[in-house]
Amino acid sequence: MANVAFIGLGNMGGPMAINLVKAGHQVTVFDLSAEACQQLRDAGAAVAASAAEAATGVDYVLSMLPAGKHVAGIYLGDDGLLAQLDKATTVLDCSTIDAATARQVGEAAAAAGIGFMDSPVSGGVAAAAAGTLAFMCGGSAETFEKAQLILQDMGKNIFHAGPAGAGQVAKGCNNMLLAIHMIGSCEALEMGARNGLDPKVLSQIMLASSGRNWSLEVYNPYPGVMETAPASNDYKPGFMVDLMAKDLGLALEIAQLSDFDNPMGQLASELYRQHQEAGNGQRDFSSILEKLQG
Ligand code: NAD
């Protein structure tokens, strides 16, 4: 079992850290929110007064923070963790952030002789609690081997995507595709409904045909078709429009940085941005159906 520091105990980080405690690791946590820290104390973790205190003398530092600026703030600079950590420490940032910052932190870690891996996740709060997240990792083969010992206690599928930053690129590609097939599924279902088809029957037809995709298979966006989907529960998330809009923004940045024109990703981003601005940020991302319904 390992000594682990966990920084960022929000909707995702909280349950992930609890799973590490349950797996028998010595976990020391830090979050700006005293309430979040208390929940982890109740679950059996030690609470530190700062990120630096939590990370002192540990085998692994994990972070699950909102955005690139928070990750850069924790790790970089003279006061950052990379300037203080023991060289034997492995750093795993599980946040969804821009690939450029992930690469920058990866380079700074390499210069300091510390193993770093960007390890963003697929799967929401339910998967974090169930320990069934998918991790997409960017870093060296050696760091990936060490990372697996910890990530396996929080997730089911752990992929090595490439060097530092590659995890964020993989996440950007996946979520851009998710947005595109969700919007496409909504469009097809609504077009069928307007022409007299039952969305349930049309879903069965497309699931048995070449239109089959994850949105139709496990997350049908049409109310009443799939009892367990957010669409049948007033679009309670699930995966919020705010998070999809954030992830599409990151995907567009990746495309721009690589001088790649991604018209479908750009359109998906624009549609989700408009849907978000119309007051739907906290609703499930499959509620984009309502935007298409007009
Ligand atoms: P959240 O806002 O619930 O939690 C973020 C936590 O970080 C908060 O508790 C906050 O207090 C803490 N924090 C911020 N700055 C800090 C600092 N400097 N030091 C210590 N703690 C700090 O967010 P979340 O939903 O848990 O998401 C975390 C990350 O996971 C994001 O990058 C998000 O995009 C990604 N993600 C979220 C989901 C989801 O369904 N919520 C799914 C996949 C990926």
Side-chain angles (χ1 to χ4, degrees):
M1 289 301 127
N3 277 318
V4 183
F6 205 113
I7 298 154
L9 308 167
N11 293 323
M12 295 293 289
M16 289 165 73
I18 287 174
N19 280 334
L20 293 181
V21 174
K22 283 185 185 159
H25 299 290
Q26 293 289 326
V27 183
T28 306
V29 299
F30 175 69
D31 193 291
L32 298 175
S33 152
E35 198 186 328
C37 289
Q38 186 58 45
Q39 278 178 5
L40 261 291
R41 188 181 277 120
D42 294 345
V47 175
S50 67
E53 188 185 303
T56 304
V58 296
D59 306 308
Y60 295 89
V61 175
L62 275 81
S63 47
M64 193 54 164
L65 296 164
K69 64 178 179 189
H70 305 93
V71 174
I74 290 260
Y75 290 111
L76 301 179
D78 292 342
D79 300 341
L81 291 184
L82 292 178
Q84 302 168 45
L85 288 175
D86 188 278
K87 292 203 187 328
T89 314
T90 300
V91 173
L92 308 174
D93 178 47
C94 303
S95 326
T96 302
I97 65 168
D98 58 293
T101 300
R103 287 180 189 132
Q104 194 188 357
V105 177
E107 279 165 22
I114 292 166
F116 168 82
M117 190 145 247
D118 51 305
S119 321
V121 305
S122 178
V125 177
T132 56
L133 293 167
F135 288 91
M136 310 167 196
C137 301
S140 71
E142 190 192 343
T143 307
F144 181 66
E145 209 179 305
K146 286 187 188 162
Q148 287 189 82
L149 298 174
I150 287 294
L151 300 182
Q152 69 188 7
D153 290 324
M154 299 180 292
K156 218 165 53 171
N157 294 304
I158 306 167
F159 299 100
H160 190 193
Q168 299 297 347
V169 175
K171 166 98 185 174
C173 294
N174 179 70
N175 280 27
M176 183 178 79
L177 179 57
L178 169 62
I180 291 168
H181 67 61
M182 176 55 80
I183 295 169
S185 298
C186 289
E187 249 182 45
L189 287 169
E190 185 57 24
M191 189 166 83
R194 289 201 187 197
N195 284 276
L197 272 67
D198 178 346
K200 216 174 225 174
V201 175
L202 178 56
S203 295
Q204 284 165 0
I205 292 170
M206 293 193 292
L207 279 171
S209 310
S210 44
R212 183 184 191 112
N213 68 75
W214 183 91
S215 293
L216 278 180
E217 209 173 336
V218 296
Y219 216 93
N220 196 298
Y222 216 94
V225 172
M226 193 176 274
E227 221 174 275
T228 52
S232 299
N233 191 20
D234 201 22
Y235 293 108
K236 288 205 179 74
F239 185 54
M240 284 189 292
V241 169
D242 279 344
L243 285 170
M244 179 50 95
K246 171 195 165 182
D247 290 354
L248 285 167
L250 295 174
L252 293 202
E253 268 180 56
I254 292 168
Q256 276 162 13
L257 280 175
S258 47
D259 202 16
F260 174 64
D261 189 22
N262 59 339
M264 298 288 283
Q266 288 171 37
L267 181 56
S269 177
E270 180 56 21
L271 290 171
Y272 270 105
R273 194 189 58 74
Q274 290 172 8
H275 193 47
Q276 182 185 34
E277 278 176 6
N280 296 295
Q282 307 281 310
R283 302 177 76 209
D284 187 76
F285 83 113
S286 57
S287 65
I288 194 79
L289 175 78
E290 290 182 353
K291 173 164 178 57
L292 300 174
Q293 286 173 327

